[in-house]
Amino acid sequence: MSSPLKLAIFSTKSYDKTYLSTALSAHPTLSSKTEITYHPFPLSLDTAPLAAGHTAVCAFVNDTLDAPVLRTLHASGTRVILLRCAGFNNVDLPAAEEIGLFVANVPSYSPEAVAEFTLALLQTLNRNIHKAYNRVREGNFNLEGFLGMTLHGKTFGIVGVGRIGLALARIVRGFGCRLLASDPKPGMSGEEFKAQYGGELVELDTLLAESDIVSLHCPLVPATRHIIDTGNLRKLKKGALLVNTSRGPLVNTKAAIEALKSGQLGGLALDVYEEEGAYFYNDHSNEVIHDDTLMRLMTFPNVLVCGHQAFFTREALTEIAGTVLGNLEDWVEGRRCVNSLVSEGHLEVPEGREPVRM
Ligand code: NAI
């Protein structure tokens, strides 16, 4: 019998095991020869040696895949990096190219899941549903403090109209909002965007100045890091709401805190946070949280933070697991993988995305 294909999975949760093991049984060419090791902890320079002898490593959003980690993995036999997420800002792709690793991601998994969550998060903040839930449970049916705004007729700005941005555009249209979008490579003309989504493609400055709600859906690349900073926060309509379900470092959190204090920013709904890697996806309820910026953020009555869960639906997990194993199968069979970011020593980053070294 030939030696098994060893796959080490980092940052594993119970649902990863459930969905990946179900997907494995649907890939007969892999299931008979693949041996999976599940690690609950994240991938880092300290934990990378635990992947020794594993040809493939599967990682998630807050795992570290910088050059030292990639070199450590490669030196002990790893040839394949399987991301079980769309974003690849945590991978040093140029280093992976240099080393000769194969890297593939899951570019799309239910963009509607993220778009629907974005609207849910926005409306929870806007209509104070999270506070109402607690108040009513205590027998308090007072509405003081719950006043929100009607979305119908408001201007909704979407920054980045890729898969998720467009899924959100469809929802926003249904709410009867005026839709503005900004994207340096929108994938369609202004006329097409207007015809299909009823919106207008505009410059970021116009979007910021005219929107009542701004929602971020661009990837994290050097050009978008802190795309929402002090300068751009000043350009917002006073009291506008900001939603970020994309990547934490798109927003300069300290600048957002200042804008919340002055009232320039009317509310902030976050599913992602700049320094989320230290806390998200794990229970820290019995510890002292040392991130003062995060804790300050959570003291505002008009801030809502969730722990990077916009993708978290049964449908999305099924797609993610299926695609991860499909990518591995492509590599094993020597087939061209449509989701590869680096293959045979070449960067294959989809057009419009920059290789990141950060
Ligand atoms: P996509 O690649 O389909 O679309 C991204 C769009 O952003 C592209 O049209 C691109 O041209 C545009 N863009 C690039 N630079 C820009 C800039 N400076 N200003 C405005 N637009 C810009 O990506 P997709 O699938 O829509 O995902 C977007 C992001 O959502 C991902 O990069 C990821 O970081 C995040 N995400 C978050 C999840 C969560 O659970 N919170 C789950 C999945 C993705």
Side-chain angles (χ1 to χ4, degrees):
M1 208 181 91
S2 61
S3 54
L5 174 73
K6 290 180 141 192
L7 166 62
I9 302 188
F10 284 85
S11 299
T12 311
K13 297 290 182 190
S14 65
Y15 44 84
D16 294 312
K17 270 190 194 171
T18 305
Y19 283 85
L20 283 161
S21 57
T22 307
L24 185 60
S25 51
H27 283 81
T29 51
L30 289 179
S31 58
S32 57
K33 60 180 175 202
T34 305
E35 228 178 71
I36 302 186
T37 311
Y38 293 102
H39 293 303
F41 42 79
L43 175 61
S44 66
L45 199 52
D46 289 339
T47 61
L50 293 161
H54 288 72
T55 306
V57 162
C58 178
F60 195 47
V61 289
N62 292 324
D63 287 313
T64 305
L65 292 140
D66 57 11
V69 169
L70 294 177
R71 276 195 208 101
T72 304
L73 291 174
H74 185 264
S76 57
T78 298
R79 296 293 174 264
V80 178
I81 304 290
L82 302 164
L83 299 173
R84 52 181 194 282
C85 53
F88 48 86
N89 51 284
N90 54 337
V91 191
D92 189 331
L93 291 180
E97 179 189 30
E98 216 169 276
I99 296 164
L101 285 161
F102 168 85
V103 183
N105 71 337
V106 183
S108 179
Y109 43 92
S110 188
E112 288 77 17
V114 181
E116 289 169 14
F117 185 86
T118 302
L119 231 296
L121 193 65
L122 166 68
Q123 283 295 69
T124 304
L125 176 72
N126 171 33
R127 306 300 298 270
N128 290 292
I129 298 165
H130 53 313
K131 295 180 192 166
Y133 174 80
N134 287 323
R135 200 182 277 185
V136 165
R137 280 163 72 92
E138 290 180 0
N140 180 354
F141 300 92
N142 195 330
L143 299 184
E144 291 290 349
F146 288 172
L147 197 61
M149 72 169 163
T150 305
L151 288 192
H152 184 93
K154 295 294 182 304
T155 301
F156 200 116
I158 300 180
V159 181
V161 275
R163 286 165 285 237
I164 295 169
L166 289 179
L168 181 63
R170 285 189 283 274
I171 298 173
V172 164
R173 193 178 192 184
F175 270 77
C177 295
R178 171 182 174 233
L179 172 62
L180 299 180
S182 89
D183 191 318
K185 292 188 178 163
M188 69 180 78
S189 69
E191 290 73 39
E192 285 168 329
F193 187 67
K194 192 169 188 68
Q196 286 180 42
Y197 298 91
E200 236 182 295
L201 288 176
V202 296
E203 292 301 320
L204 181 62
D205 280 2
T206 310
L207 181 148
L208 295 174
E210 296 188 14
S211 299
D212 299 290
I213 303 112
V214 173
S215 193
L216 306 178
H217 300 285
C218 50
L220 175 63
V221 291
T224 60
R225 175 176 284 268
H226 288 182
I227 190 169
I228 300 298
D229 58 4
T230 305
N232 276 343
L233 284 161
R234 269 197 210 113
K235 292 177 191 162
L236 283 175
K237 207 168 173 177
K238 191 168 171 67
L241 302 183
L242 177 66
V243 190
N244 185 10
T245 59
S246 191
R247 283 291 181 268
L250 296 181
V251 177
N252 179 336
T253 318
K254 291 203 167 97
I257 287 173
E258 289 311 310
L260 284 161
K261 280 160 76 176
S262 71
Q264 170 63 9
L265 189 58
L268 181 60
L270 297 179
D271 185 45
V272 288
Y273 166 65
E274 263 190 297
E275 304 297 335
E276 68 178 49
Y279 294 104
F280 280 24
Y281 294 118
N282 291 304
D283 180 3
H284 297 279
S285 54
N286 280 323
E287 296 166 23
V288 172
I289 305 269
H290 290 274
D291 185 332
D292 292 345
T293 307
L294 177 62
M295 295 320 276
R296 175 67 180 104
L297 206 52
M298 293 201 286
T299 62
F300 289 97
N302 52 348
V303 171
L304 182 57
V305 180
C306 280
H308 206 145
Q309 69 172 84
F311 72 98
F312 201 50
T313 66
R314 287 180 281 278
E315 292 75 6
L317 290 187
T318 304
E319 280 183 65
I320 291 169
T323 306
V324 164
L325 293 172
N327 291 344
L328 178 59
E329 197 170 60
D330 285 344
W331 182 81
V332 169
E333 300 290 316
R335 289 193 299 252
R336 155 131 190 77
C337 175
V338 290
N339 302 320
S340 66
L341 299 168
V342 184
S343 178
E344 292 170 6
H346 295 294
L347 271 179
E348 296 181 331
V349 179
E351 210 184 321
R353 295 188 174 183
E354 297 169 47
V356 192
R357 199 193 274 274
M358 326 196 254

